[in-house]
Amino acid sequence: MCTDVTTLLFGAGGHAKVVFDSIESSVGEPAQVTVVDDNPTLVGQDFFGTRVQRGDVCEQFDAFRFHVAIGCNGVRRSVFERLQACGGVPLTVVHPWAHVSQHARVGEGSFLAAGCIVAPMSRLAEGVIVNHAAVVDHDCIIGAFTHIAPNVTIGGNVRIGDNVLVGAGAVILPGVSIGDGCTIGAGAVVIADVMTDKTVVGVPGRILLNKENKP
């Protein structure tokens, strides 16, 4: 068994490329990480000069840190919990061009991309993604394994639950609450509270009705 503490980057897709670049930008040199993925079509492929390994490589290490670089909330959560159960310690990745208030709180295993803003008194739970140029204003609460896509604007005092996807360019007005498992479509403007497991689209935002998503 290897006794050195290894850093695992779990994921070798597009989002993982952004996370890998952020790690390198933070340390100012090539990232010393082991890149792994469960997708057999990615295993063995070149990833910025390193070879992608199988996801079960974590079993080779006595101690390791990990970051799950997968955009899909459900998959990210499942892998996160699996690696924790193996003894891994979540690693938060913050790009040096992200602006995070010293009075904000960021949960373990989260990712904050270049150009994003996390304002004072905001609280992010574990496994959150705040992507490029997204704004999380003051006093917001963002639930676990939620993904805030690029160029989203979240006003002050917003409450967002777990496993929520806020699509690119969406706007959530101050004071609004969004329940667990919701999807906010790209470019939507949310002006009122949204219950659990709803999909919101349009300007102003309206609930999209279908067989699985009734009002």
Side-chain angles (χ1 to χ4, degrees):
M1 298 285 284
C2 175
T3 57
D4 293 335
V5 177
T6 298
T7 298
L8 293 182
L9 181 66
F10 200 107
H15 179 65
K17 295 174 184 177
V18 175
V19 176
F20 187 90
D21 178 72
S22 296
I23 295 172
E24 287 198 323
S25 297
S26 297
V27 299
E29 59 186 35
Q32 301 300 311
V33 300
T34 300
V35 180
V36 302
D37 204 294
D38 282 336
N39 185 342
T41 66
L42 295 176
V43 173
Q45 298 296 314
D46 178 79
F47 187 91
F48 295 111
T50 188
R51 186 173 64 86
V52 179
Q53 301 186 43
R54 289 164 47 103
D56 58 7
V57 71
C58 65
E59 299 173 6
Q60 301 178 17
F61 303 106
D62 293 323
F64 63 95
R65 300 176 299 173
F66 69 87
H67 184 90
V68 184
I70 297 173
C72 176
N73 294 334
V75 177
R76 186 166 71 261
R77 181 172 207 141
S78 176
V79 173
F80 186 102
E81 292 173 350
R82 165 182 151 196
L83 295 179
Q84 272 195 319
C86 291
V89 177
L91 173 68
T92 299
V93 177
V94 180
H95 194 283
W97 292 353
H99 180 80
V100 183
S101 170
Q102 62 180 330
H103 303 293
R105 189 172 72 197
V106 178
E108 293 183 327
S110 293
F111 172 64
L112 306 183
C116 77
I117 297 173
V118 179
M121 307 309 294
S122 284
R123 290 178 285 167
L124 279 57
E126 63 184 5
V128 169
I129 297 172
V130 182
N131 229 315
H132 295 109
V135 176
V136 178
D137 210 346
H138 63 88
D139 298 287
C140 289
I141 298 176
I142 310 296
F145 302 100
T146 281
H147 185 168
I148 310 299
N151 293 307
V152 166
T153 300
I154 299 176
N157 290 295
V158 166
R159 302 292 185 267
I160 297 179
D162 297 346
N163 304 308
V164 173
L165 172 61
V166 184
V171 176
I172 302 176
L173 296 192
V176 167
S177 294
I178 296 175
D180 296 343
C182 286
T183 298
I184 309 302
V189 177
V190 184
I191 64 174
D193 293 353
V194 181
M195 300 296 288
T196 301
D197 294 324
K198 302 301 181 185
T199 297
V200 178
V201 298
V203 181
R206 67 185 187 281
I207 294 175
L208 184 65
L209 304 181
N210 55 44
K211 293 181 180 179
E212 292 77 28
N213 186 8
K214 298 179 180 179

